[in-house]
Amino acid sequence: ESIVPMLEVAASLGEIEANVILADIYLEQGNVFCAKEYLQFAHSKGRPSATFKLGEILEIEGNYDLALSHYKFAMENGISDAAYSYVLLSSSPSYLSTQNIPMNRFYLSSILQKHLNHMSDSIATKSSAYIDFLENTYLE
């Protein structure tokens, strides 16, 4: 708690990492509104980890198109775990119901395969299982 005022000063001076750390603190406290402000600043400065976290908030808020663009930016800029979030949202019924095009299973599978070796272990495990699902399940 005592570090928060110092972080806020640093964040107000444009220190990107301070914005990211404050966002994490506010997310842990459940204060999504404040976290989102700090993440938006770090995102505007091109910080992929902030863009990824912001995408997660946007997805929860139901802003699927913006969430997907945030995940895409993050995964293309070194945050491989974002590929899993991108593919899951792209293939979710809640997102697909807003689209006029069917899900491209092989395209989504290829995104996961491309990022698999750089993912954290838990996300890589989930991604491998999802690749199997995408390639071996045929939906009507």
Side-chain angles (χ1 to χ4, degrees):
E1 296 297 308
S2 60
I3 195 169
V4 170
M6 288 185 284
L7 286 168
E8 286 176 342
V9 170
S12 71
L13 295 171
E15 170 52 48
I16 298 171
E17 198 56 36
N19 280 273
V20 173
I21 294 168
L22 277 169
D24 286 341
I25 291 170
Y26 284 121
L27 283 174
E28 279 178 29
Q29 295 173 349
N31 187 340
V32 177
F33 181 78
C34 281
K36 197 172 169 184
E37 284 189 19
Y38 288 109
L39 288 172
Q40 282 171 325
F41 176 80
H43 161 66
S44 74
K45 299 299 183 191
R47 181 62 55 97
S49 61
T51 303
F52 180 36
K53 288 176 189 162
L54 194 53
E56 292 176 321
I57 292 171
L58 291 163
E59 179 177 350
I60 291 165
E61 293 175 348
N63 193 339
Y64 300 137
D65 289 327
L66 197 53
L68 284 170
S69 75
H70 280 53
Y71 291 153
K72 188 172 180 28
F73 174 86
M75 75 182 180
E76 289 174 351
N77 288 278
I79 311 293
S80 291
D81 285 2
Y84 181 67
S85 299
Y86 179 87
V87 168
L88 269 192
L89 178 54
S90 295
S91 59
S92 72
S94 48
Y95 173 72
L96 288 170
S97 67
T98 70
Q99 302 302 299
N100 294 321
I101 51 166
M103 171 177 67
N104 184 332
R105 306 162 79 76
F106 295 102
Y107 169 69
L108 295 177
S109 173
S110 72
I111 291 173
L112 290 177
Q113 288 172 345
K114 179 181 169 191
H115 292 277
L116 200 57
N117 292 336
H118 303 287
M119 291 177 176
S120 62
D121 291 345
S122 64
I123 300 297
T125 301
K126 292 177 187 175
S127 293
S128 293
Y130 208 63
I131 288 168
D132 289 342
F133 166 77
L134 288 169
E135 293 184 352
N136 301 314
T137 310
Y138 297 96
L139 301 174
E140 294 301 311

